[in-house]
Amino acid sequence: MSDNILQGKKALIVGGAGFVGGYLASHLAGAYGCEVFATHLPGEPTEGIEAQFTQLDILDLGAIEALLAHVQPNFIFHLAAQSSVAHSWQNPDITLDVNIKGSTHLLQAVQKSGQAPRILLIGSGDEYGAVRPQDIPVQEDILPRPGNIYAVSKVCQNMLGSVYAKAYGLQTIMVRAFNHIGPRQTPAFVVADFCKQVAEIEAGKREPVLRVGNLTATRNFTDVRDVVAAYALLAQKGQVGETYNVGSGHSVVVRSILQQILELATCPITVEVDPQKLRPIDVPVVEVDIRKIQAATGWQPKIPLQQTLQQTLEYWRGLV
Ligand code: A2R
């Protein structure tokens, strides 16, 4: 598959006003000259995102059908999700509705439309759950053992993508993205949470105590700008019906992330464990094998972790 089939094409980002959506829109417009369309929920701000926005709740099947008829996209990037593990424990029904029923709506609508866009369904490295030691680093074809409700919903999305490819010939390509980080991420995620707290402490807006959850978890953190570059490549070169891991390939323990952020701080800060930040089930080790995406697309993550942490902290310093 050629690597410039995106050039100048119509790309639709479903769930385009979230953390990844803004970066993906800029990348598609900037690197490929795409005409970028995107959806947002009512009330969700879209300022600064380089896309033509339409309001859409993916629980409304008729609205998706109307949008597809209007846009007629060549590529669809499906990002819309209830994306927080923590919220999925508190709101299981909304998580399953949006992430499973919502994804099914999109696939159904494409099938009914008779259009043939290439569709990238964004799932999560969390789908693998507690990986057996012999399966580390984790490859795409092992049996997922999801350990939380969010992960279950994304396993279902992945399976639905595969079923719609086989049954109806839809051009679905599935992604399992590991932790992505960067400026503008909400503090529901660990790096943004640490950086926001540090910025608030530096600004004298909170006592000099950083509250943390499980520091022993090992995660594969990748800069969001590298992640969206991977998505654009997979949309072009990924094989239909296949699943691809997206991650830096180098895992680090959360404690070391904390250490690096503390070293960037301009004042002394102590650390305290907050039991509310500990999750009911946490996956201790995530090591990822990225040979499949590299073989298919040649993708290489480029941005060093240190740079992402520095820029994320700068972002929060500018906000608080
Ligand atoms: O939850 P909100 O208000 O932030 O809105 C999110 C939106 N979304 C929906 N869009 C349409 N219909 C719905 N029923 C619906 N519920 C939520 O999807 C948000 O604007 C977007 C997802 O963006 P984030 O939550 O910021 O996720 P992020 O980090 O951009 O990740 C993109 C994808 C997700 O599928 C993750 O599960 C995966 O990458 O890792």
Side-chain angles (χ1 to χ4, degrees):
M1 187 73 64
S2 151
D3 65 355
N4 62 2
I5 60 169
L6 253 175
Q7 198 64 45
K9 293 289 180 3
K10 287 187 191 177
L12 171 62
I13 306 174
V14 181
F19 171 54
V20 177
Y23 288 99
L24 180 59
S26 305
H27 185 65
L28 294 174
Y32 295 98
C34 287
E35 189 179 357
V36 184
F37 298 83
T39 77
H40 69 127
L41 283 174
E44 233 188 338
T46 61
E47 286 84 48
I49 303 179
E50 294 174 63
Q52 301 172 47
F53 271 94
T54 304
Q55 275 189 19
L56 177 89
D57 186 331
I58 47 169
L59 296 177
D60 182 348
L61 177 59
I64 304 177
E65 290 171 345
L67 180 66
L68 289 181
H70 169 64
V71 174
Q72 306 208 359
N74 307 103
F75 291 84
I76 298 176
F77 296 84
H78 179 43
L79 302 180
Q82 192 303 95
S83 63
S84 153
V85 173
H87 290 164
S88 80
W89 291 114
Q90 290 144 18
N91 302 297
D93 48 349
I94 292 171
T95 305
L96 299 177
D97 271 357
V98 173
N99 296 4
I100 303 177
K101 200 195 271 185
S103 301
T104 313
H105 281 167
L106 175 65
L107 296 168
Q108 254 180 292
V110 172
Q111 180 217 338
K112 267 180 73 179
S113 74
Q115 299 169 16
R118 285 173 68 84
I119 308 164
L120 204 67
L121 295 177
I122 310 302
S124 169
D126 222 17
E127 292 172 42
Y128 294 114
V131 180
R132 297 177 308 177
Q134 65 266 37
D135 291 330
I136 295 172
V138 62
Q139 292 184 335
E140 290 83 350
D141 55 4
I142 70 156
L143 180 71
R145 294 180 173 77
N148 62 65
I149 292 159
Y150 165 76
V152 168
S153 73
K154 289 291 185 170
V155 169
C156 289
Q157 177 188 268
N158 178 289
M159 290 173 159
L160 286 161
S162 162
V163 164
Y164 269 82
K166 287 198 188 93
Y168 297 114
L170 258 62
Q171 299 192 61
T172 51
I173 298 144
M174 279 65 76
V175 168
R176 293 200 180 110
F178 287 74
N179 302 63
H180 29 289
I181 55 174
R184 308 204 295 261
Q185 189 171 32
T186 80
F189 296 88
V190 62
V191 170
D193 180 29
F194 290 175
C195 289
K196 176 171 186 263
Q197 290 189 58
V198 168
E200 286 173 351
I201 291 167
E202 288 176 346
K205 293 189 173 159
R206 64 191 296 153
E207 52 169 352
V209 180
L210 201 147
R211 298 189 195 284
V212 301
N214 179 7
L215 293 179
T216 63
T218 298
R219 294 286 182 271
N220 211 262
F221 291 99
T222 312
D223 190 289
V224 62
R225 292 157 285 196
D226 280 326
V227 170
V228 299
Y231 292 174
L233 289 169
L234 279 174
Q236 299 171 85
K237 296 178 165 187
Q239 203 177 319
V240 168
E242 289 293 313
T243 297
Y244 296 87
N245 288 336
V246 171
S248 70
H250 304 290
S251 290
V252 289
V253 63
V254 172
R255 183 184 302 283
S256 120
I257 295 274
L258 172 66
Q259 201 51 46
Q260 291 185 55
I261 293 171
L262 287 176
E263 279 164 19
L264 295 169
T266 55
C267 60
I269 295 175
T270 56
V271 173
E272 252 177 36
V273 173
D274 176 352
Q276 290 197 335
K277 288 182 189 276
L278 297 171
R279 292 185 194 151
I281 301 175
D282 222 330
V283 180
V285 177
V286 179
E287 296 279 358
V288 50
D289 188 324
I290 54 171
R291 282 176 294 178
K292 188 171 173 182
I293 180 178
Q294 291 186 316
T297 69
W299 176 69
Q300 262 321 330
K302 297 195 178 98
I303 304 173
L305 180 59
Q306 179 71 18
Q307 183 182 330
T308 310
L309 297 179
Q310 174 83 52
Q311 291 177 342
T312 306
L313 183 56
E314 287 302 336
Y315 166 77
W316 284 104
R317 283 176 176 149
L319 269 197
V320 301

